[in-house]
Amino acid sequence: EVQLVESGGGVVRPGGSLRLSCVGSGFTFDDHAMSWVRQAPGKGLEWVSGISWSGDSTGYADSVKGRFTIARDNAKNSLYLQMNSLRAEDTAFYSCARGAFAMVRGATDFWGQGTLVTVSS
Amino acid sequence: DIVMTQSPDSLAVSLGERATIKCKSSQTVLYNSNNKNYLAWYQQKPGQPPKLLIYWASTRESGVPDRFSGSGSGTDFTLTISSLQAEDVAVYYCHQYYNTPLTFGGGTKVEIK
C-alpha cells in the first residue's frame, strides 16, 4: 500500500523557519518525482515545489522562490521542504505528493494527508 | 506562469444527470513533440487529499469509474460526469504540468440539486 506521511508542521512566528519531512513507503521512491502542494483552510490547491527522481531538477512557485528549498534523500525514502522567512500567507496544510513520472513535469498520482503550518505572531 | 481558469465555480446537478466542468489555460499545454496535453483532473472530497481522475487530458486513472471523462486540447478542456452519483459530491480541480511552476485551477464545487 502506497503511503506518504508528512511531519514537521506547527506554529511559527512571521520571519521564522520550519522544516517539513515526508516519508514514502509501498513504492519505489526513486522512480518518482515528488512535490509539495499546499492548501490554505477552505481554499484551493497551490503547487509549492517539485523535485525530480534524482534531485537534479527542482521547481518552485513564484510565491516561495528564494525562501523555500526542496530536497530528497532516496536512501531514506524521504522528501523535505525547508521554509525560511515565513509569512502569514504561508499558513496552510502542506501535502507531500508523488509524481506519476521521474521528472517534475508530470501529474501527481498520490497525496499524503498533510501537515498544518500556521504562521502567526 | 500558466493560469488555469475553471468554470463554473459551483454547480448543482440532479442525481443521474450530466455535470460539465470547463478549464481554460492561459497558454497551450499541448506538447508538440509527443502530441500530449499536460492536463490532469482531480477530485477532492471534504477532509481528504485530492484523488487523480484523469491525466493527459483524457486518460482515466486506474479504478476511476467510466462515468468520468476528460476531453479537449491546447487551451480548452472539459471534465464530464455522465450520470452524477451521490458519492461524486466534491470539489474538482484541473492542473497543468506542462511548465513549472505547475498550476491548478481554482476548483469547481459539485453538489446535488
Side-chain angles (χ1 to χ4, degrees):
Chain A
E1 178 193 6
V2 174
Q3 284 196 313
L4 294 170
V5 179
E6 303 93 340
S7 60
V11 180
V12 61
R13 294 189 183 279
S17 297
L18 215 53
R19 188 194 194 212
L20 305 183
S21 299
C22 168
V23 177
S25 61
F27 65 101
T28 304
F29 191 77
D30 58 7
D31 275 352
H32 296 267
M34 298 295 295
S35 289
W36 289 98
V37 180
R38 69 185 180 184
Q39 188 168 30
K43 302 296 184 182
L45 302 170
E46 181 185 15
W47 181 83
V48 173
S49 182
I51 187 168
S52 64
W53 71 277
S54 64
D56 287 349
S57 177
T58 60
Y60 297 91
D62 294 342
S63 58
V64 307
K65 199 174 295 184
R67 300 188 298 124
F68 291 10
T69 302
I70 192 171
R72 65 189 295 162
D73 183 341
N74 289 339
K76 295 181 178 179
N77 287 356
S78 293
L79 176 72
Y80 307 101
L81 186 68
Q82 178 65 43
M83 304 186 295
N84 298 330
S85 304
L86 283 160
R87 307 167 179 166
E89 54 265 35
D90 296 318
T91 294
F93 287 93
Y94 285 71
S95 294
C96 168
R98 185 182 77 170
F101 310 116
M103 302 309 292
V104 175
R105 291 172 64 235
T108 52
D109 64 0
F110 191 84
W111 305 57
Q113 290 291 331
T115 185
L116 179 61
V117 172
T118 302
V119 184
S120 173
S121 54
Chain B
D1 298 3
I2 299 177
V3 177
M4 308 299 289
T5 303
Q6 284 183 236
S7 62
D9 292 337
S10 64
L11 76 161
V13 176
S14 300
L15 288 172
E17 295 300 306
R18 178 184 300 262
T20 301
I21 300 169
K22 301 285 189 182
C23 175
K24 188 174 183 67
S25 57
S26 61
Q27 62 189 76
T28 187
V29 297
L30 174 62
Y31 194 40
N32 288 332
S33 67
N34 60 10
N35 202 37
K36 287 184 180 291
N37 288 282
Y38 283 51
L39 189 286
W41 289 96
Y42 297 89
Q43 175 194 66
Q44 187 177 31
K45 297 181 179 180
Q48 296 183 19
K51 174 188 174 183
L52 176 64
L53 297 176
I54 303 282
Y55 56 97
W56 300 133
S58 60
T59 301
R60 201 177 300 114
E61 173 75 331
S62 176
V64 173
D66 61 7
R67 63 179 179 273
F68 291 93
S69 63
S71 62
S73 184
T75 61
D76 293 280
F77 301 91
T78 301
L79 175 70
T80 301
I81 310 173
S82 61
S83 176
L84 191 75
Q85 305 299 304
E87 61 265 32
D88 301 334
V89 169
V91 179
Y92 294 83
Y93 295 92
C94 62
H95 170 58
Q96 68 81 18
Y97 47 96
Y98 180 88
N99 253 347
T100 57
L102 310 187
T103 48
F104 291 89
T108 296
K109 187 174 185 178
V110 174
E111 299 171 309
I112 305 295
K113 186 186 291 183

